[in-house]
Amino acid sequence: MKSTEVTSCCEIVELGLESLNELRALEQTCFDYSWSEEQFRLGLERRAFYIFGYVLEGLLVGYLAYSRVLDEMEVLNLGVHPDFRRKGIARELMQALIKQSKETEVRKGLLDVKRSNFPAIALYESLGFRQVGVRKKYYPDTKEDALLYDLEI
Ligand SMILES: CC(C)(COP(=O)(O)OP(=O)(O)OC[C@H]1O[C@@H](n2cnc3c(N)ncnc32)[C@H](O)[C@@H]1OP(=O)(O)O)[C@@H](O)C(=O)NCCC(=O)NCCS
């Protein structure tokens, strides 16, 4: 793991293939419909996406997967272990990504979120993301609409 930010008890680190098992386990606790090990492996190997992990006293409790193409980044997945929610972990992960984006001249952030996911929507809107569209019945698991958001960085 490469450290990008360190405090006394926790750190946000960039995760690689060595963290696959931990990532998969965390993902399965966060989502009913989760990425397979193969999806994680290929994405990381091909650098199709990058992952920040939030490590608390040695335990991976949150992660954020994002991609970057030219001056745009996209939030692909964000999850925090149910025992560690409402402690500001997702906000810190998102802020780390926005800070890195500013430092690397990324100009725009994109994401999609299920219409019913009020916690995530509240987080994204509090960070300045604004809704720019809807994709009807977008998600294969629930056929729910996706709300599309962007952020000018
Ligand atoms: C969405 C999720 C990542 C939030 O993680 P978290 O670490 O608990 O979030 P934070 O503590 O950083 O909260 C940040 C803000 O999000 C919003 N929020 C988070 N959980 C909320 C909830 N249960 N109800 C309402 N708002 C909520 C609030 O605006 C909160 O700010 P506040 O605490 O100042 O009010 C987490 O609930 C999760 O993993 N959910 C399952 C996976 C998921 O849906 N991921 C998003 C996919 S798009």
Side-chain angles (χ1 to χ4, degrees):
M1 293 182 191
K2 276 188 284 166
S3 227
T4 57
E5 188 178 310
V6 182
T7 69
S8 56
C9 66
C10 53
E11 53 184 342
I12 292 179
V13 294
E14 190 177 334
L15 301 182
L17 289 170
E18 72 288 347
S19 306
L20 262 186
N21 289 342
E22 276 179 290
L23 262 172
R24 281 276 291 144
L26 177 58
E27 160 110 346
Q28 282 169 340
T29 68
C30 292
F31 293 97
D32 294 332
Y33 182 79
S34 55
W35 287 359
S36 67
E37 186 181 326
E38 191 68 359
Q39 281 171 300
F40 272 117
R41 182 186 302 286
L42 287 178
L44 287 169
E45 273 174 3
R46 294 172 182 174
R47 303 188 75 74
F49 55 71
Y50 306 89
I51 299 182
F52 282 160
Y54 192 100
V55 179
L56 190 60
E57 292 171 356
L59 197 67
L60 182 68
V61 296
Y63 77 99
L64 186 169
Y66 67 96
S67 63
R68 179 178 170 177
V69 178
L70 302 175
D71 63 350
E72 281 188 2
M73 63 85 171
E74 182 169 0
V75 177
L76 302 176
N77 246 354
L78 171 68
V80 173
H81 190 287
D83 293 347
F84 295 90
R85 288 183 187 163
R86 294 315 296 264
K87 296 178 191 301
I89 291 175
R91 185 183 295 285
E92 275 193 54
L93 283 164
M94 287 293 296
Q95 284 170 337
L97 175 60
I98 292 168
K99 179 168 176 274
Q100 187 207 57
S101 299
K102 283 182 183 157
E103 289 166 357
T104 55
E105 297 185 358
V106 170
R107 296 279 169 244
K108 195 172 199 176
L110 306 167
L111 60 83
D112 58 77
V113 58
K114 285 180 177 162
R115 191 187 279 285
S116 66
N117 195 344
F118 300 115
I121 290 170
L123 168 63
Y124 299 142
E125 290 187 350
S126 74
L127 290 164
F129 281 84
R130 57 193 178 99
Q131 195 193 323
V132 290
V134 178
R135 266 193 203 129
K136 289 282 178 195
K137 301 183 181 166
Y138 177 69
Y139 298 102
D141 54 342
T142 57
K143 307 277 181 274
E144 203 178 321
D145 294 349
L147 304 186
L148 309 181
Y149 276 83
D150 77 12
L151 175 72
E152 297 298 330
I153 297 172

